[in-house]
Amino acid sequence: MALTGLLLVLCAAVGMVVNQLQAQSEKRAQAEAIQTAHIVADLVVRRNIDPADITGTFPIREQERADMDADVAVMLRRDRIVGLEVWRNDGSLLYADKDHPAGETDLPADELRMLERPGAEVLVINGSRRGSDTLDIFLPYETAPSSSRSPRARGIVEVLTPRDAVAAGVARSTRSLYALAVVFLAVLVAVLLVLRRRLLLREHQALHDSLTGLLNRVALREQLRQAVVRAQQDHGALAALLVLDLDGFKAVNDTLGHPAGDALLIQVAQTLRRSLRPTDVVARFGGDEFAVLLTHLPDAASAQSISSQLLAKLRAGSYTVHGIELAVDASIGIALIPEHGKDTDLLVQRADVAMYQAKRANSGVTVYDETTDPHDVTQLGLLVELRRAIEQDELVLHYQPKARLDTRDLQGVEALVRWQHPARGLLGPDKFVPLAEHTGLMQPLTEWVLHRAIHQAALWRDLGLMLPVAVNLSPRSLLDGDLAATVLTALADANLPAHLLELEITETAIMTDPDRAVVVLRHLNAMGIRVAIDDFGVGYTSLNYLKSLPVHTLKIDRAFITHMLSDRKDQAIAESVIGLAHKLGLSVLAEGIETEDVWQRLKDLNCDEGQGYYLARPMPADQLAAWVRTHLAVVSSTPTAPARTIDEAAR
Ligand code: C2E
Ligand code: MG
Ligand code: MG
């Protein structure tokens, strides 16, 4: 647009210059004609006509006319003039060439008056002769300078010069001027186009990723800024920022080399672009990290469903590098605009946090949640407080019983941590365990839970209650090199036998570093500690590892249990896991049993143990003893479920 404007201005300027030059060359042509007239007056008229004839009243002498005619003929032949007339001062005709119209014997009064004006030296008039246009030059003609002895006589010499020649000269020079101008403009346009191309290229490079051609981080930030502005101006406008990171990309680079990695990134970029609407913005942040800006979303849930579809398309895509077909998987973190921030940096950071959470949990897609964000300001404050809480015993453990499904015999309790926060009240583990997991607080937290749970089990033992206690381990604690030593010390401090301690480990924890997990678990197993895989079914345990892991129990995640009577697929999964566990020689526990019917169904399916609100909610230690007494009374009064002592159950 700017270029077109500039060109228009340039064309106008060139047009003005050409007009100016044309006017000048017309003036020059006229000056040349006047000069010709002066020469003719000097060489032809002055040479041939006696001054006395001009002032007199007699016709021109024959000899003079003949001489004049001869000279005029030469001039006509050479096209210097078209005609010549000599007028007396009173306007009567003294001499005219042969083509002069016979009737014109007097100079028109207008022209005579103009020439008589004081100071008038020359008069130029457009005329015509023999069918061609002429420039008629009228010169006041003085027969002799006033100082000469001859009498001073005035007349008028009219020289008719060919206007065609003048016009042709002007046209020629105008044509060459135009040609020059066109060449100049063409060169200018070419230069401007080259400059514009370079500018566009530089602009493109500044805003695009050179490998994939997608937008880069800078360009995405600008788009994000505009989305934030739109969201602020139009309160219904909803957008979402997705940060997408490929899983296992490093392995491609390491095993197949960087060119292969680059080729895969290009194919991934193409799949992403193809899978989204044209209005969605796709960018590469660098490495194997991409970002997508979804705009004009109808609601927050659609951000998640679009992300899941995108992930599915990415996984389903076919990627061939160096003739090898590669599988692609990724994790997506979502930050909603404006819900999760109105600042571009903050939105990017939050989508990033969500993406890392998706990666850790193997969940594919995760929407940002400030309660689990270690970078959140309130979370940072909480972090400082959590450190203090661990040191000052603000944490508490609640215990949730587990029982055999058939006899309802108590099998033990699971220790679940809570934080009795001075201002916020009792906080569940979801509010602070992930926070500890992402910062250095997981180790002290686990140590605290281990010591407190083992101490409590020892207290119950001292009361005659042999109640095995299960402690949850986070992925980080499992990989902590000091774990076995910490457990041993805690058991030794409380003088508790190892078989009264059980450790619960999630699939994610095992699969974070399976080889290391196997080593640590073997070590714990050798110490006589029972190990359960927690939340089984929602993570990705390789069956190959499951075969070799020294674990005793699979705890089926409550996601498959709670609604299993209304969801046949849940029930099918629960049934399969029970069968798998038994075939591998493992005991199986169902979590999240909330109703009698589910309890019965699981019993029929041969599940070994159960845990859930139906049996008991997690409760503080001091309530547990009373609960156990009541439970034993209920169990012993039920004929189908013969009561046993807690000691027996524990064994
Ligand atoms: P988990 O180990 O699977 O613990 C079971 C969770 O399910 C507990 O939630 C429990 O209250 C809840 N639950 C039990 N029965 C039912 C039921 O019938 N219905 C429903 N809807 N829920 C039931 P809680 O205490 O909020 O703990 C959540 C998770 O936090 C635990 O899941 C565990 O992964 C983690 N956690 C708790 N304490 C600790 C700890 O000391 N260390 C570590 N690393 N993680 C812990
Ligand atoms: Mg657990
Ligand atoms: Mg669980």
Side-chain angles (χ1 to χ4, degrees):
M1 194 61 210
L3 185 66
T4 321
L6 182 64
L7 277 176
L8 282 175
V9 170
L10 277 171
C11 284
V14 167
M16 271 165 62
V17 170
V18 167
N19 273 346
Q20 194 79 23
L21 291 173
Q22 191 178 353
Q24 273 182 13
S25 65
E26 258 170 16
K27 245 190 218 162
R28 206 172 54 239
Q30 212 176 67
E32 269 174 30
I34 293 171
Q35 206 176 359
T36 305
H38 275 292
I39 292 168
V40 171
D42 272 352
L43 291 185
V44 180
V45 181
R46 202 183 300 284
R47 196 158 65 89
N48 295 320
I49 299 180
D50 187 340
D53 291 344
I54 292 187
T55 48
T57 52
F58 299 108
I60 189 168
R61 275 170 279 163
E62 277 313 309
Q63 187 53 49
E64 283 175 339
R65 176 178 297 281
D67 292 343
M68 282 293 284
D69 284 348
D71 283 353
V72 166
V74 173
M75 300 292 258
L76 283 173
R77 240 189 349 263
R78 291 184 184 166
D79 284 336
R80 296 299 302 273
I81 62 170
V82 182
L84 177 68
E85 273 113 45
V86 181
W87 307 85
R88 288 202 176 94
N89 213 18
D90 59 0
S92 58
L93 186 64
L94 177 66
Y95 167 83
D97 63 273
K98 290 195 182 68
D99 290 322
H100 180 78
E104 287 182 15
T105 50
D106 289 309
L107 192 63
D110 281 354
E111 290 158 20
L112 197 60
R113 262 200 309 280
M114 274 193 270
L115 279 165
E116 279 171 348
R117 251 190 242 144
E121 286 182 350
V122 68
L123 175 66
V124 181
I125 289 178
N126 288 333
S128 66
R129 170 70 60 89
R130 282 188 277 155
S132 343
D133 292 335
T134 55
L135 267 186
D136 300 353
I137 316 292
F138 293 83
L139 298 175
Y141 175 73
E142 295 198 359
T143 51
S146 51
S147 56
S148 110
R149 266 184 286 133
S150 322
R152 189 164 175 260
R154 271 182 76 91
I156 295 158
V157 174
E158 181 186 353
V159 181
L160 289 81
T161 58
R163 192 134 66 90
D164 279 356
V166 174
V170 171
R172 243 193 334 273
S173 59
T174 306
R175 258 202 312 277
S176 43
L177 274 173
Y178 272 121
L180 210 68
V182 167
V183 170
F184 169 72
L185 271 179
V187 170
L188 198 71
V189 167
V191 169
L192 285 175
L193 283 177
V194 168
L195 284 178
R196 199 173 114 99
R197 255 185 77 109
R198 280 205 191 153
L199 210 71
L200 289 176
L201 193 71
R202 213 167 284 172
E203 202 176 324
H204 188 271
Q205 283 168 345
L207 297 176
H208 289 78
D209 168 46
S210 57
L211 179 68
T212 59
L214 295 178
L215 292 184
N216 62 14
R217 194 182 276 268
V218 177
L220 184 98
R221 229 168 252 271
E222 175 53 24
Q223 298 280 342
L224 200 55
R225 196 189 59 72
Q226 289 173 17
V228 170
V229 170
R230 272 198 301 277
Q232 278 167 334
Q233 286 168 353
D234 171 5
H235 290 295
L238 199 73
L241 171 69
L242 278 49
V243 167
L244 181 150
D245 192 273
L246 299 185
D247 294 342
F249 178 73
K250 191 173 173 297
V252 176
N253 260 347
D254 290 350
T255 48
L256 299 176
H258 284 267
D262 285 354
L264 180 62
L265 288 174
I266 292 169
Q267 294 177 36
V268 166
Q270 287 164 348
T271 308
L272 287 177
R273 192 57 280 178
R274 269 200 308 271
S275 311
L276 289 158
R277 302 170 298 180
T279 46
D280 298 327
V281 180
V282 188
R284 180 175 170 232
F285 268 6
D288 60 345
E289 200 175 40
F290 295 84
V292 175
L293 178 64
L294 303 173
T295 51
H296 310 296
L297 293 173
D299 49 42
S302 56
Q304 201 161 3
S305 63
I306 294 175
S307 302
S308 300
Q309 287 164 17
L310 179 66
L311 193 57
K313 285 183 187 156
L314 198 66
R315 286 171 176 158
S318 103
Y319 309 90
T320 311
V321 173
H322 296 344
I324 302 169
E325 191 141 334
L326 297 174
V328 163
D329 203 349
S331 303
I332 298 179
I334 305 173
L336 297 170
I337 305 162
E339 190 184 321
H340 293 142
K342 295 182 178 117
D343 172 85
T344 53
D345 286 342
L346 189 67
L347 283 165
V348 171
Q349 184 202 314
R350 292 189 158 175
D352 226 30
V353 166
M355 185 274 291
Y356 277 111
Q357 286 176 344
K359 223 178 233 303
R360 255 192 305 268
N362 246 328
S363 57
V365 176
T366 296
V367 181
Y368 174 77
D369 177 1
E370 64 180 16
T371 58
T372 57
D373 180 0
H375 305 282
D376 189 81
V377 199
T378 52
Q379 296 289 299
L380 284 178
L382 209 60
L383 192 68
V384 176
E385 290 177 336
L386 180 60
R387 196 183 298 277
R388 191 205 56 216
I390 297 171
E391 286 162 8
Q392 299 182 359
D393 266 358
E394 270 177 24
L395 301 184
V396 285
L397 288 183
H398 283 191
Y399 298 90
Q400 188 178 32
K402 305 186 267 184
R404 281 196 64 81
L405 281 163
D406 49 3
T407 60
R408 305 209 178 193
D409 283 350
L410 206 52
Q411 296 297 293
V413 288
E414 178 176 1
L416 295 160
V417 70
R418 275 103 182 87
W419 178 2
Q420 189 61 59
H421 191 279
R424 295 169 161 218
L426 193 67
L427 299 179
D430 56 319
K431 296 282 184 291
F432 60 94
V433 169
L435 183 67
E437 176 74 13
H438 301 142
T439 55
L441 281 183
M442 202 59 228
Q443 199 182 349
L445 181 94
T446 306
E447 278 186 27
W448 185 92
V449 174
L450 268 171
H451 274 99
R452 178 53 59 96
I454 289 172
H455 180 69
Q456 186 59 53
L459 283 179
W460 283 323
R461 188 234 8 235
D462 295 345
L463 293 171
L465 210 60
M466 297 296 267
L467 208 50
V469 65
V471 168
N472 290 284
L473 288 186
S474 76
R476 195 172 279 222
S477 357
L478 181 66
L479 301 178
D480 172 11
D482 297 336
L483 177 68
T486 307
V487 171
L488 261 188
T489 316
L491 287 172
D493 283 353
N495 196 18
L496 191 81
H499 72 266
L500 287 184
L501 177 68
E502 188 174 36
L503 295 176
E504 293 190 7
I505 298 149
T506 59
E507 290 175 89
T508 317
I510 294 166
M511 294 318 288
T512 306
D513 188 347
D515 296 329
R516 180 113 175 258
V518 170
V519 173
V520 175
L521 293 184
R522 287 223 172 104
H523 202 162
L524 293 169
N525 192 41
M527 286 157 56
I529 295 163
R530 295 173 65 86
V531 175
I533 296 186
D534 204 358
D535 304 341
F536 189 79
V538 290
Y540 300 90
T541 308
S542 149
L543 292 179
N544 197 33
Y545 278 106
L546 193 60
K547 194 179 68 179
S548 54
L549 279 174
V551 295
H552 304 85
T553 308
L554 290 190
K555 293 185 77 177
I556 310 177
D557 193 85
R558 69 168 187 266
F560 306 108
I561 301 300
T562 309
H563 307 292
M564 65 181 281
L565 293 187
S566 54
D567 189 325
R568 290 181 47 204
K569 288 184 181 164
D570 279 356
Q571 187 168 326
I573 291 171
E575 202 174 340
S576 307
V577 174
I578 293 166
L580 174 74
H582 286 162
K583 287 205 175 91
L584 289 172
L586 303 175
S587 151
V588 59
L589 178 147
E591 295 181 316
I593 305 176
E594 294 186 356
T595 62
E596 159 99 53
D597 292 347
V598 173
W599 184 281
Q600 283 302 335
R601 184 79 197 108
L602 284 159
K603 193 177 91 177
D604 296 344
L605 290 174
N606 272 334
C607 184
D608 302 303
E609 296 171 37
Q611 180 183 4
Y613 294 168
Y614 169 64
L615 182 68
R617 286 183 178 255
M619 60 191 98
D622 54 1
Q623 289 174 19
L624 193 90
W627 180 87
V628 171
R629 269 194 299 279
T630 318
H631 179 70
L632 281 176
V634 172
V635 169
S636 56
S637 65
T638 313
T640 50
R644 291 194 228 166
T645 64
I646 291 292
D647 286 34
E648 281 168 349
R651 261 178 255 123

